[in-house]
Each structure stands twice: as C-alpha cells, then as structure tokens.
Amino acid sequence: MRLALLGVAHETNTFSRVPADYDSFRIFRGDEIVREYRESHSTNAGYLEAAERFGCEVAPLVYATAGPIGTITADAFDRIVGEMLRLLKDQGPWDGVLLSQHGAAVSDDYPDVDGEVAARVRALVGPDVPVGMTLDLHGNLTQKMIENTTATVLYRTNPHLDPRPRAVECAEIIVRTIRGEVRPVQALEMPPLVVNIVKQFTGEQPMLGVMNDLDEVLARPGMLSGSVAEGYPYSDVEEMGMGFLAVSDGDAGAARDAARWMAQRAWANREQFVGDTPSPEEALKMAAAAAKGPVVLMDVGDNIGGGSSADSTVLLAEAKRLGIGDYLQTLYDPEAVIACVAAGVGADLTLKVGGKTDDLHGSPVEVTGCVRLISDGKYEETTPVHGGFRFFDDGTRVVLETTDDHTLLLTSRRSGNTTRQQMYSAGIRPEDKRVVVAKGVVSPRPAYEPIAAQIILVNTPGVTTSDLSFFEYRRRRRPLYPFEPDATFP
Ligand SMILES: [Zn+2]
C-alpha cells in the first residue's frame, strides 16, 4: 500500500500588508521532509509515523509552508500547487493521499486554497482513491474541503499540542478505507458564529465545553472522527467562522446529527465567544499591582502566529509612560540589531526600536540602554510546544537593557514567543521578571503558563487585534454573530 504525503500550509491574514510570495515559502522535498519533521510533533511527523504503525509506504513528495502573513500571490499558488500535482501525477498511481494543510489559506485567485487543493487532488486521483486531510483547528472549514476529501481531521487543542496524533488518526482512517474496513461519511455544520481570538484557548470555557461536546460525539458508536473549527477571524472569506465536522462509518444521518448537535450547543452559548479584554493601560496597571510576578501580558494585536509584524511597541510605550519596569519583551527590528552589533557588547547607546513595519503596531520608541549580549538567535525546544516545532531561529539578535529597567530582546526575524528556550538561550530568566510580554493569544501558553503567576490577554491594536470592529470585511457571510447580533441559526 502506497500513500502520497504532500501539502501547502498557510494561515493567511488577509488584513496583513505583507504578501505571501513564492520566496516567503520554505519548501521541503522528498527526504528533506523526513529530516525536518520526523522527530517533531507536527502533522508531517504523524503521517510518517503512520507508515510504521499501519505497515504501509508513505512517500513524502513536497511540503510548502510560510509564516502567517498576507494573501498568497497567484504566482506562488500556481508554482507550489503546480509542483504538488506534477509530483502526484508522475509518481503515481497511489492507494491513498495524505494532505498536510492548515485550513486558513487564501490566495489572490482562491479564497479557499485548501478546498481548491483538495479538489484538484481529487480530480487527479479520481473518486476511488481515499484522500485524507489534516488541518489546524482555527482554520475555516468549507463544504468544498469536505466534498473533496474522504476524511478531514482537525487538531483538537489550541495551543496545538496534538498535530501528530491527529495526523495518525487521519492516516488510519485512510488506511482502513483502502483495506475496505470502513466507509467514512462526513457532515459539516456551520452556524453563523465567530469565536473571538481571545476565546480560542481550548483549556478554558467556552471552548472547553465545545471540546467536551466533541468528546461525547467521538464516543458515539460508529463515529470515526469529529472536529471543531474555531474559525480564523483574520481571513476575510465567506466561510469565516465556526465549523463542526463529524465523520461516521457509513451512516450519513449519524454524522449529520452529530455535527448539528455540536453546532446547536455552541450557538446557544454564543454570547460567551465574544471578546472582552483590558486595554494596555489597564493590563499594565494590573500587572504592576499584582501580588507576585511574572505577569504575562499577551499582546493580542501583535500575534505573530496570526500574521502580525512582531514589532509592536504599544505595550512598551505604555510601560514607559506609566514608569513600569522589571519588564521583558521581544521586538523584531533588524536595523536596531545592526546598530547594537556595531556598538558591541557593553556599549551604551540611544536608538529607536520597533514599530517600523507599518502604522498599525505603534511607533518606534526611543530607548537608551546597554548591549548585554549578541547571539546568532538559534535555539532548540525538545518538549511539545505550540505547533510541534523543534528548531527556532530569531536571526542575529541582541539583548538590550534600558534605563527604564526594560529588557528588550531585539531579533532580525519575525519570531513569536512559543518557547522559553528563546529567553534562556539569550541568558534571560523570564521567571525573574515582573512583566513579561508574549506576542500572541494562545501559542505562548505552553511556554509561559508553567512560570506565570497570572496571564492577562490585552486588547492591543494591530492586524490581529481582538477588536474585530477594527477590520473592514468584504467577503464574510452575513449575517454573522456577533457582527450582526440578531443572526439566527435554524
Ligand atoms: Zn494554529
């Protein structure tokens, strides 16, 4: 039995002004996929693991991935998807296909890239070859994805600690389908409901209740799989919002009932999915007044994992204004890194940092400080963190200690804060700080929850702000709750 492994994974923030062109993608081919991912906790690792577990051959063809920036250019889509289909055709025939996608990809020509990829793969291999697809749970599910796959499986944790077991689950359904043991039938329900990004943590209500409902569905007899899409509010596409998917063994009615039951239960609690977070000033004052630190402030508007710039200075400027020190944050600023490297370790200098990508994430802030450390920015995380990544690269980076008692880790690449190794490898102990800024909403939790006295989500501005009224949507469906509060779900 021979299965193809391939995919293009992108989380597209259509409000970001940085296009995802061909060069923004990292493309792995053949054994490069094995070398990069086999020992990780990612979707690809799960597909590769499935080969040993189920005694089949899984052939890694090509996998393209880019940081979560703006819309995929038509050129990048054509070249990447063109290569995928060419390899699939040239190296076939296949008993099955395993797609490694994200679920929130948008290109210039296709608002539903993941559905389009599935449709093209389906057209190429024909109706009888099972196609499995594994997605991130905060993508937007579509009918096109479901119609063109045999089974689609989404991660069930946000932060994402389970891509690998979900990919194994998806591959198992495909293998069992090929062997004639099961006959997957999928049903999708999409209530007109958006989950605010600050409510997408699956370890807390309201998502915890949704995931408990999913567990109940998974325990029903004959249910092969089930998934919940939280929706990706920063992709302005028609299907943006929640999706509930059930996959039963041959029973379309059971799948439909299960998907519908989950959707109705979430809809009944719809008020709980609306955002409610403190302003930067409120959050910083709460941190300063807390009995003990570190207080981790989630910079929601500068969520690198959601397509943001990584150089927001909103919290930094506010901390400076309020005179709050004992404060740590990262900032993407390659120019400032060059200036600090030129000055050298131990040098004092005054310069402007951050806020240089666009005018949505604060202005550059003038700071005076001492360069404490210069490093190549490479570090490794061996425990499961968000997304299952292992190797990290901030680019050349420096630690700047400012006269405001702020520790700034300036990076040359747009890095998030998903592992504390980022700090330890730079000689910084976040445990010892009063205020630690983590750019993101959910992704920094596995790293910072173990040491945080308190975590506060902050309503900062930016391309990933939780204040969705900030965006001008053109393509989303209407009505959609909470934009249209009187939306109904039959
Ligand atoms: Zn994700």
Side-chain angles (χ1 to χ4, degrees):
M1 187 187 295
R2 250 181 111 233
L3 306 178
L5 184 172
L6 72 171
V8 50
H10 191 240
E11 178 176 286
T12 306
N13 184 326
T14 58
F15 298 105
S16 162
R17 293 172 197 173
V18 184
D21 58 10
Y22 188 75
D23 291 333
S24 0
F25 282 85
R26 295 173 73 202
I27 302 182
F28 301 92
R29 298 176 175 89
D31 281 344
E32 289 168 358
I33 298 174
V34 179
R35 280 198 294 278
E36 180 74 15
Y37 292 104
R38 177 142 61 190
E39 301 306 324
S40 72
H41 300 275
S42 66
T43 297
N44 289 331
Y47 284 160
L48 294 167
E49 180 186 334
E52 293 150 40
R53 275 209 192 207
F54 310 120
C56 55
E57 184 195 335
V58 172
L61 301 182
V62 60
Y63 175 71
T65 182
I69 45 177
T71 303
I72 301 171
T73 63
D75 170 69
F77 176 93
D78 290 345
R79 287 163 74 182
I80 292 167
V81 177
E83 179 174 353
M84 287 169 67
L85 293 168
R86 206 161 47 244
L87 288 167
L88 196 61
K89 183 161 183 277
D90 292 350
Q91 299 190 26
W94 305 96
D95 298 299
V97 178
L98 301 173
L99 288 172
S100 189
Q101 301 287 123
H102 178 284
V106 181
S107 76
D108 287 337
D109 297 331
Y110 299 99
D112 174 13
V113 164
D114 303 277
E116 180 64 21
V117 166
R120 291 189 188 196
V121 166
R122 173 57 76 210
L124 192 139
V125 298
D128 301 326
V129 173
V131 176
M133 179 160 77
T134 302
L135 300 173
D136 191 312
L137 82 162
H138 64 250
N140 301 304
L141 277 171
T142 70
Q143 205 59 46
K144 189 172 179 180
M145 296 178 196
I146 302 314
E147 279 164 13
N148 290 288
T149 56
T150 308
T152 293
V153 177
L154 276 61
Y155 308 161
R156 289 187 202 126
T157 56
N158 190 6
H160 311 323
L161 304 177
D162 67 336
R164 185 169 174 154
R166 293 291 78 76
V168 170
E169 175 181 326
C170 179
E172 182 172 13
I173 297 172
I174 296 308
V175 168
R176 294 184 65 202
T177 306
I178 296 165
R179 289 182 183 146
E181 295 168 9
V182 293
R183 196 168 61 81
V185 183
Q186 307 192 87
L188 174 64
E189 275 288 349
M190 295 174 59
L193 172 59
V194 173
V195 184
N196 191 283
I197 205 79
V198 298
K199 298 290 177 177
Q200 295 203 348
F201 173 41
T202 50
E204 231 170 55
Q205 293 297 4
M207 279 309 297
L208 184 61
V210 172
M211 301 324 280
N212 288 341
D213 286 350
L214 174 60
D215 284 340
E216 212 172 308
V217 159
L218 292 170
R220 294 184 185 182
M223 206 55 68
L224 295 174
S225 179
S227 295
V228 175
E230 297 183 306
Y232 186 62
Y234 311 112
S235 281
D236 181 13
V237 295
E238 192 189 334
E239 292 93 347
M240 188 265 280
M242 283 195 103
F244 295 84
L245 175 66
V247 188
S248 92
D249 185 6
D251 187 340
R256 211 171 37 240
D257 289 349
R260 192 151 182 80
W261 179 76
M262 290 190 287
Q264 279 167 334
R265 302 249 307 168
W267 179 253
N269 290 326
R270 59 191 172 281
E271 294 88 359
Q272 294 181 23
F273 297 94
V274 179
D276 54 353
T277 46
S279 69
E281 180 177 353
E282 289 162 347
L284 279 159
K285 285 181 173 167
M286 284 159 76
K292 67 190 208 49
V295 176
V296 175
L297 301 183
M298 297 287 193
D299 187 347
V300 172
D302 194 14
N303 178 9
I304 295 91
S308 193
S309 60
D311 70 345
S312 172
T313 54
V314 172
L315 285 167
L316 178 66
E318 193 62 16
K320 208 172 151 74
R321 189 180 73 83
L322 296 170
I324 294 173
D326 203 0
Y327 170 107
L328 168 65
Q329 87 161 89
T330 59
L331 268 181
Y332 164 73
D333 194 334
E335 275 177 33
V337 168
I338 289 169
C340 291
V341 169
V345 172
D348 291 308
L349 73 169
T350 296
L351 74 174
K352 288 196 167 173
V353 294
K356 295 172 184 170
T357 302
D358 52 37
D359 54 7
L360 302 171
H361 302 91
S363 313
V365 171
E366 186 171 285
V367 296
T368 298
C370 177
V371 179
R372 287 286 173 218
L373 179 127
I374 300 171
S375 77
D376 69 0
K378 291 191 168 55
Y379 46 98
E380 185 178 353
E381 173 62 77
T382 53
T383 62
V385 290
H386 180 79
F389 303 108
R390 176 159 184 167
F391 301 104
F392 295 81
D393 186 356
D394 289 345
T396 304
R397 59 182 189 175
V398 302
V399 177
L400 189 68
E401 297 284 358
T402 78
T403 50
D404 298 303
D405 189 21
H406 295 163
T407 303
L408 302 178
L409 179 61
L410 305 175
T411 69
S412 304
R413 295 181 62 168
R414 296 183 204 275
S415 298
N417 307 124
T418 56
T419 159
R420 294 202 307 282
Q421 297 303 331
Q422 180 181 43
M423 297 302 173
Y424 299 146
S425 62
I428 299 166
R429 279 181 49 82
E431 289 85 340
D432 299 340
K433 300 289 177 186
R434 150 78 36 175
V435 185
V436 176
V437 172
K439 292 178 176 293
V441 182
V442 172
S443 64
R445 272 189 186 268
Y448 286 97
E449 214 153 41
I451 64 156
Q454 195 184 342
I455 291 179
I456 301 174
L457 301 178
V458 191
N459 186 14
T460 43
V463 289
T464 54
T465 181
S466 58
D467 183 358
L468 298 180
S469 64
F470 178 82
F471 302 114
E472 200 181 312
Y473 290 92
R474 296 208 179 87
R475 292 190 288 199
R476 68 169 175 84
R477 58 198 149 124
R478 287 161 209 267
L480 187 61
Y481 186 89
F483 300 105
E484 285 82 37
D486 50 1
T488 54
F489 179 53

